């Protein structure tokens, strides 16, 4: 699986306010995976603004996704959106990402844009990113996805790339 890191920079004001105001599209068309967080100036809302999606639809789907604690697929959107429920600090994200990849496989998705880590509020997120990288690099992963664009907040970009290089070395 090809993984392309997309460093995402934010203004000092965005960081201070905790508001994600803009979204950078992947270099090629891809299914978008985002965290189901529609309240406030979130990445999901920045994506919706960028594509002109209906906010009421996004908010309703986000609420259902979080209440059910299951991945939600909005295939009527262009590009398709797959929402992953908000995580809780004391729970592993891996079951949710396993569900995400099962959904992607059932739809035979080839290209994925993971937007979950383009604007982070806590360095604790690094453990989630490392777990997901380990999953993506695992040679036993059965996936139709051949290319992943992975948004990474520029404040942690060097750490993530360093860990990625270390993991790649483990699999060679």
């Amino acid at each position: 699986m090809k993984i392309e890191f997309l460093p995402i920079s934010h203004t000092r004001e965005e960081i201070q306010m905790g508001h994600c105001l803009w979204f950078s599209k992947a270099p090629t068309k891809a299914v978008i995976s985002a965290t189901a967080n529609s309240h406030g100036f979130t990445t999901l809302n920045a994506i919706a603004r960028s594509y002109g999606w209906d906010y009421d639809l996004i908010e309703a789907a986000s609420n259902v996704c979080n209440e059910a604690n299951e991945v939600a697929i909005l295939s009527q959107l262009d590009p398709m959106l797959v929402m992953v429920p908000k995580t809780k600090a004391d729970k592993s994200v891996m079951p949710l990402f396993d569900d995400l990849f099962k959904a992607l496989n059932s739809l035979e998705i080839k290209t994925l844009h993971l937007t979950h880590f383009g604007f982070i509020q806590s360095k604790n997120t690094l453990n989630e990113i490392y777990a997901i990288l380990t999953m993506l690099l695992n040679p036993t992963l059965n996936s139709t996805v051949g290319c992943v664009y992975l948004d990474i907040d520029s404040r942690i970009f060097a750490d993530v790339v360093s860990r990625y290089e270390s993991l790649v070395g483990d699999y060679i």
Side-chain angles (χ1 to χ4, degrees):
M1 178 180 304
K2 175 185 171 192
I3 301 172
E4 185 172 328
F5 295 102
L6 304 175
I8 307 297
S9 297
H10 296 278
T11 66
R12 186 177 73 231
E13 292 79 13
E14 281 179 293
I15 294 166
Q16 287 174 340
M17 293 185 300
H19 289 16
C20 181
L21 300 177
W22 63 277
F23 171 68
S24 180
K25 297 176 182 177
T28 61
K29 188 172 180 177
V31 169
I32 297 172
S33 176
T35 303
N37 187 1
S38 64
H39 301 291
F41 291 92
T42 65
T43 301
L44 178 59
N45 286 333
I47 295 166
R49 279 192 305 276
S50 177
Y51 286 104
W53 294 339
D54 179 270
Y55 178 77
D56 291 335
L57 171 68
I58 297 299
E59 182 177 31
S62 176
N63 290 337
V64 169
C65 178
N66 285 315
E67 287 169 15
N69 198 40
E70 293 179 353
V71 170
I73 301 167
L74 281 78
S75 58
Q76 71 271 39
L77 298 176
D78 186 27
M80 184 186 306
L81 174 66
V82 180
M83 282 194 264
V84 176
K86 292 186 280 189
T87 58
K88 306 201 176 22
D90 61 337
K91 301 241 180 186
S92 169
V93 299
M94 294 320 297
L96 294 173
F97 274 84
D98 287 340
D99 287 347
L100 171 65
F101 274 82
K102 286 177 186 170
L104 297 171
N105 285 346
S106 71
L107 297 167
E108 298 182 4
I109 300 303
K110 305 286 186 232
T111 307
L112 176 66
H113 185 183
L114 284 173
T115 67
H116 306 273
F117 308 109
F119 186 65
I120 62 157
Q121 303 289 51
S122 165
K123 290 223 176 189
N124 293 337
T125 305
L126 284 169
N127 290 332
E128 291 181 2
I129 297 170
Y130 299 155
I132 291 164
L133 285 174
T134 300
M135 179 189 85
L136 294 175
L137 289 169
N138 188 333
T140 64
L141 176 67
N142 181 19
S143 178
T144 61
V145 177
C147 179
V148 174
Y149 295 106
L150 183 53
D151 287 357
I152 301 292
D153 191 309
S154 62
R155 295 172 288 168
I156 61 166
F157 189 79
D159 291 337
V160 171
V161 170
S162 175
R163 176 60 68 98
Y164 170 78
E165 290 169 348
S166 171
L167 287 170
V168 167
D170 290 346
Y171 286 111
I172 294 178

